[in-house]
Amino acid sequence: MAQAAPTPGRPGSPASPGSPGRPTAPGTRPAPATPDVFGERAHRFTNRILPVVLGLVYGYWAAAMNRDAGPITGWNVLFGFVTAFVFAALYLAVATVAPRLRREPHALLWAAFAGCAFGFLYSQAPQHTVLRSTLMSLGIAAAVFAVTFYRYYTHEDAQGHRLGRRTG
């Protein structure tokens, strides 16, 4: 297994100041565990615009699958916008509630959201049965659960607090 070797001066390296167990110079803050590339303003903007963009893409995709190469109608456009609104609202709800949960329910909530979102899109194709859509969405949900649980298990403690993050 190839691993990056710790080098002096990098955060988390045993030789870098501010690493756990290494003192820092008086009056200086220890280096963060990971660099923050974007500022607070960029993060705020992304948190507000991401549900809208994802909802519009999801709504367009659902409307395109629903019309099945037929003509674009007013009902089809309405279906796309309603789907986009519902997706964005559910995404915001999950993004708001999930971080307050412990790691197991946190991962389960994202898995349920991803499975339902995929299952709805998959069921829009006329050749797919309800049983096949359900089985496919359960497979997607299981994969999302495995990935998110692993991420939260390796980045949070048992109470859901992120590891390596300073609180003060």
Side-chain angles (χ1 to χ4, degrees):
M1 196 191 272
Q3 302 264 336
T7 56
R10 288 188 56 193
S13 173
S16 66
S19 296
R22 297 282 287 183
T24 58
T28 62
R29 293 184 66 194
T34 57
D36 192 10
V37 178
F38 300 109
E40 184 63 32
R41 182 176 173 211
H43 285 289
R44 244 188 345 261
F45 177 75
T46 303
N47 286 340
R48 290 186 182 158
I49 199 73
L50 187 65
V52 174
V53 170
L54 289 178
L56 288 174
V57 169
Y58 188 86
Y60 172 75
W61 195 349
M65 289 184 70
N66 185 272
R67 71 182 174 94
D68 193 33
I72 297 174
T73 64
W75 290 113
N76 186 252
V77 172
L78 178 66
F79 176 76
F81 279 115
V82 169
T83 303
F85 178 77
V86 170
F87 180 87
L90 289 175
Y91 179 87
L92 279 171
V94 170
T96 302
V97 172
R100 297 180 181 147
L101 301 173
R102 293 181 56 164
R103 59 185 170 212
E104 294 87 1
H106 189 173
L108 188 62
L109 187 59
W110 279 112
F113 174 73
C116 290
F118 177 82
F120 178 75
L121 279 183
Y122 197 77
S123 70
Q124 293 303 306
Q127 69 269 22
H128 298 144
T129 64
V130 173
L131 178 63
R132 183 169 178 176
S133 297
T134 303
L135 292 176
M136 293 295 287
S137 64
L138 286 174
I140 294 294
V144 169
F145 178 77
V147 169
T148 54
F149 179 77
Y150 176 77
R151 184 195 182 277
Y152 300 138
Y153 187 79
T154 58
H155 289 82
E156 294 179 353
D157 64 8
Q159 286 75 34
H161 302 111
R162 295 183 76 178
L163 298 175
R165 183 174 268 201
R166 290 173 185 67
T167 58

